[in-house]
Amino acid sequence: MVESDADVALEDTDRIEGRSALVNNTNAALALAGAVRSTLGPRGSDKMLVDEHGEVIVTNDGVTVLETAKVEHPTANLLISTSSAQDRIARDGTTTSVLLTAELLRNSLELSRIGVHPTLIMNGYRLAAEESLAQLDEISREASEDELRATIGTTLAGKIDTNLADTMTTLALDAARALADEEGGDDLERVRVRRTQMSDGAAADSEVVHGLVIRKQRLDFATPASSGGGRIAIIDGGLETRELELDAQIEIRSTGVLAGFQERKREKLATQVESLSAQGIDLLCVRDGIADEAAPLLKAAGITAYRRFERDDLERLSVLTGARMVRHSNRITIEDIGTYTSRSEDKIENTWHLRIDGEGAAMTALLRGTTPAMREEVSRAFDDALGVAFRLVREPGILPGGGGTQTHLARHLRAFATTQKGREQLAIEGFADALEVIPRALAENAGLDPIDEILELSAAQAQSGAWIGLNVMSGEKTDMGEAGINDPLFVARQALTGATEAAISVLRIDDVLWAKVDASTPDWSNQIDDD
Ligand code: ADP
Ligand code: MG
């Protein structure tokens, strides 16, 4: 037999084609989903993860489990990136999106077994996703103040202790409201809110300051430690004379030259300080260093100076005060000047902290805890709460939690399927079945019987509508709005689109080539036998 060029090129690969590729990919997805399924919901269990250095993390967060797992299968990696995207875009719903993706794949395998072509499955899934998104808008409603709090509480449920969740919800909502009308992308809440851990109190003493708090002391202790408001300049560079210092290496041999050099250096600094002083500046913050010789000049000009800031902090300071960052002090103009409302230095647990307040939307979260582990937990909780609060304040649509939304979508899609023609109907039903993995897993994790719960939930919804869900704390099927168990609309929407896209991109593959880079081609044990 003559080998074609293509066959020669594929000599070093293992090849899985057609339905075997789907079987293999689906197994990988199900294995991964199996690893996080038991963490879903407030009664989900924790996972203990041990990395190669023996470090231990205990978590009940799907994305943490997945990102820590060492996975080699390309489909499994696709699922992990779907859940990371969910985390980045919605800050919640990561477990949900992985469970949905795996379930969509499982059902597509069933469909392909009975002869439905992947193209038809993909079409049906797309139709079902579109219809579901429209339904989400249909059943969602705008959250009241209490419901905003309850919704953030629901997203934190199971992750952290209820009292802590309450404190963090209050702080997160305060910060989120301050950012509500600000321009900026997905991670604005990370950019604008500095997180500072402090050991001078318990978690409940944590606060959000509408200003910048940072470990730092002024350059010159002869200048005042605190002041009221005033004018501020921010330099994204230094107040130094670097060029002259370089020359000095060569010239410095005679004392006359040295004196002349120091004179020129002082003059250069004096011009720089003069241009600041000409703008009536009271406070100067500089990213790099400030030359020693500049200190008396600054003091004489009535300027208090701070040096060595992180760029992120200078950016926050810029937002806070309206000052524009300039590269060099002698290029400063009136438009670059900002205003602050107060400045102070305080000693907290033996370290001096600078605090600058202003009117712009930049903040510092002072996250307190008596032990480092506690402070880490408080920081994580705040991060989760703020991520959701920020998005929720911008888009306050909410949906029933406790599997209510997915149960409603499944019921709706089954009716919708009958209006469609051909085999896409089957795919839409497959999509509907996949959605029920959420109430099923919530019930399982609460020790309830999943089959009974889903039947009862569906019956209760037929009576009283889409807002009935399963409260896993009480086992009751009740109105989720009244029970305060709500999911944000943006979380559900992203989980649905992310999972559909991921499943479709796997369905599109009908040929998997494994490069024989090492002897151990990943071996995903046959959960499903394709016979
Ligand atoms: P994810 O990573 O997908 O956010 P979670 O473990 O946070 O997973 O679980 C979220 C799910 O738990 C949502 O479907 C939410 O509605 C549900 N949930 C939260 N609290 C309750 C509750 N008290 N009863 C029933 N379901 C709940
Ligand atoms: Mg969650």
Side-chain angles (χ1 to χ4, degrees), residues 39-42 92-96 154 401-402 442 470-473 485 487:
T39 70
L40 188 77
D92 193 30
T94 53
T95 312
T96 301
T154 306
L442 286 171
L470 167 65
N471 181 349
V472 295
M473 304 316 264
I485 303 171
D487 292 339

Side-chain angles (χ1 to χ4, degrees), residues 119 220 251 288 293 415 423:
T119 312
D220 183 352
E251 289 181 30
D288 295 334
E293 295 87 338
R423 296 186 172 192

Side-chain angles (χ1 to χ4, degrees), residues 207-511:
E207 58 185 316
V208 167
V209 165
H210 292 252
L212 189 72
V213 179
I214 194 169
R215 285 183 191 95
K216 203 168 281 299
Q217 272 190 288
R218 61 201 183 283
L219 173 75
D220 183 352
F221 295 133
T223 55
S226 65
S227 76
R231 290 157 69 81
I232 172 175
I234 303 174
I235 298 179
D236 184 18
L239 198 68
E240 290 162 316
T241 50
R242 201 152 273 147
E243 321 84 77
L244 286 180
E245 276 154 25
L246 278 181
D247 291 351
Q249 307 271 324
I250 316 157
E251 289 181 30
I252 213 142
R253 294 199 186 89
S254 84
T255 39
V257 173
L258 183 59
F261 158 71
Q262 276 169 340
E263 190 46 38
R264 274 194 300 159
K265 187 173 173 184
R266 209 164 10 249
E267 275 166 23
K268 256 200 121 166
L269 288 169
T271 0
Q272 294 188 55
V273 173
E274 268 159 35
S275 50
L276 294 169
S277 162
Q279 303 294 348
I281 284 161
D282 308 288
L283 176 60
L284 175 68
C285 295
V286 169
R287 182 163 61 83
D288 295 334
I290 298 179
D292 291 344
E293 295 87 338
L297 300 170
L298 287 165
K299 178 175 176 281
I303 299 173
T304 305
Y306 291 83
R307 61 186 162 180
R308 308 225 181 272
F309 283 82
E310 298 285 333
R311 197 156 198 291
D312 289 352
D313 288 326
L314 281 191
E315 270 163 22
R316 292 183 188 115
L317 203 51
S318 167
V319 170
L320 187 68
T321 62
R324 284 205 303 228
M325 282 191 247
V326 286
R327 296 284 303 167
H328 295 287
S329 53
N330 38 15
R331 297 215 194 105
I332 207 152
T333 68
I334 185 84
E335 284 86 37
D336 301 321
I337 311 302
T339 52
Y340 60 100
T341 51
S342 73
R343 175 184 62 84
S344 59
E345 284 180 16
D346 288 297
K347 200 169 195 178
I348 302 167
E349 286 271 301
N350 292 325
T351 321
W352 285 96
H353 285 76
L354 162 67
R355 170 168 173 171
I356 299 172
D357 282 12
E359 317 235 286
M363 288 149 275
T364 307
L366 303 180
L367 303 167
R368 299 194 157 94
T370 39
T371 65
M374 190 62 204
R375 291 193 285 278
E376 278 305 316
E377 189 183 344
V378 171
S379 298
R380 255 198 318 276
F382 178 74
D383 199 52
D384 288 338
L386 180 58
V388 171
F390 170 65
R391 286 158 181 77
L392 200 54
V393 164
R394 284 185 162 189
E395 193 194 339
I398 54 166
L399 291 163
T405 297
Q406 294 81 7
T407 303
H408 168 77
L409 291 179
R411 296 176 59 241
H412 178 86
L413 286 176
R414 287 187 187 115
F416 170 73
T418 62
T419 69
Q420 300 297 304
K421 56 179 183 319
R423 296 186 172 192
E424 273 108 344
Q425 274 196 19
L426 297 173
I428 295 168
E429 280 163 9
F431 196 100
D433 295 345
L435 287 165
E436 283 179 340
V437 71
I438 303 303
R440 204 180 309 132
L442 286 171
E444 276 165 18
N445 293 345
L448 300 165
D449 183 277
I451 297 174
D452 290 346
E453 294 303 321
I454 286 181
L455 289 174
E456 284 173 27
L457 195 50
S458 198
Q461 285 204 348
Q463 284 281 315
S464 322
W467 274 77
I468 305 297
L470 167 65
N471 181 349
V472 295
M473 304 316 264
S474 65
E476 288 170 322
K477 268 80 47 192
T478 51
D479 187 293
M480 292 287 100
E482 282 164 23
I485 303 171
N486 311 309
D487 292 339
L489 173 59
F490 62 83
V491 172
R493 189 202 300 125
Q494 179 59 35
L496 208 63
T497 48
T500 309
E501 277 166 22
I504 285 178
S505 65
V506 173
L507 277 169
R508 224 182 257 133
I509 303 167
D510 73 346
D511 199 353

Side-chain angles (χ1 to χ4, degrees), residues 53-322:
H53 311 295
E55 294 275 342
V56 173
I57 320 173
V58 175
T59 179
N60 124 329
D61 185 28
V63 76
T64 311
V65 174
L66 296 180
E67 287 179 344
T68 316
K70 292 258 176 296
V71 175
E72 285 176 28
H73 196 286
T75 303
N77 277 318
L78 177 83
L79 255 74
I80 294 173
S81 50
T82 303
S83 99
S84 301
Q86 177 80 28
D87 188 46
R88 195 181 62 248
I89 296 167
R91 294 286 151 79
D92 193 30
T94 53
T95 312
T96 301
S97 76
V98 169
L99 293 185
L100 273 181
T101 311
E103 220 54 24
L104 286 171
L105 286 173
R106 188 208 297 269
N107 294 351
S108 63
L109 190 60
E110 290 301 317
L111 289 166
S112 87
R113 237 179 219 154
I114 59 168
V116 185
H117 193 270
T119 312
L120 289 178
I121 304 175
M122 289 190 264
N123 285 346
Y125 279 7
R126 283 202 193 91
L127 282 170
E130 238 171 72
E131 185 65 20
S132 299
L133 290 176
Q135 272 302 301
L136 289 187
D137 289 335
E138 196 71 24
I139 63 168
S140 73
R141 63 162 186 250
E142 194 165 312
S144 67
E145 171 66 26
D146 282 351
E147 284 172 330
L148 279 184
R149 292 191 62 90
T151 306
I152 299 169
T154 306
T155 71
L156 295 176
K159 268 192 207 163
I160 53 177
D161 161 271
T162 324
N163 283 336
L164 182 57
D166 224 44
T167 311
M168 291 303 133
T169 299
T170 308
L171 298 187
L173 266 176
D174 169 28
R177 290 221 166 84
L179 294 175
D181 298 324
E182 296 288 302
E183 308 235 320
D186 268 354
D187 58 353
L188 188 73
E189 96 281 9
R190 289 202 165 142
V191 176
R192 292 289 187 82
V193 185
R194 177 183 225 277
R195 288 108 213 256
T196 303
Q197 295 187 358
M198 300 238 169
S199 55
D200 64 327
D205 306 320
S206 298
E207 58 185 316
V208 167
V209 165
H210 292 252
L212 189 72
V213 179
I214 194 169
R215 285 183 191 95
K216 203 168 281 299
Q217 272 190 288
R218 61 201 183 283
L219 173 75
D220 183 352
F221 295 133
T223 55
S226 65
S227 76
R231 290 157 69 81
I232 172 175
I234 303 174
I235 298 179
D236 184 18
L239 198 68
E240 290 162 316
T241 50
R242 201 152 273 147
E243 321 84 77
L244 286 180
E245 276 154 25
L246 278 181
D247 291 351
Q249 307 271 324
I250 316 157
E251 289 181 30
I252 213 142
R253 294 199 186 89
S254 84
T255 39
V257 173
L258 183 59
F261 158 71
Q262 276 169 340
E263 190 46 38
R264 274 194 300 159
K265 187 173 173 184
R266 209 164 10 249
E267 275 166 23
K268 256 200 121 166
L269 288 169
T271 0
Q272 294 188 55
V273 173
E274 268 159 35
S275 50
L276 294 169
S277 162
Q279 303 294 348
I281 284 161
D282 308 288
L283 176 60
L284 175 68
C285 295
V286 169
R287 182 163 61 83
D288 295 334
I290 298 179
D292 291 344
E293 295 87 338
L297 300 170
L298 287 165
K299 178 175 176 281
I303 299 173
T304 305
Y306 291 83
R307 61 186 162 180
R308 308 225 181 272
F309 283 82
E310 298 285 333
R311 197 156 198 291
D312 289 352
D313 288 326
L314 281 191
E315 270 163 22
R316 292 183 188 115
L317 203 51
S318 167
V319 170
L320 187 68
T321 62

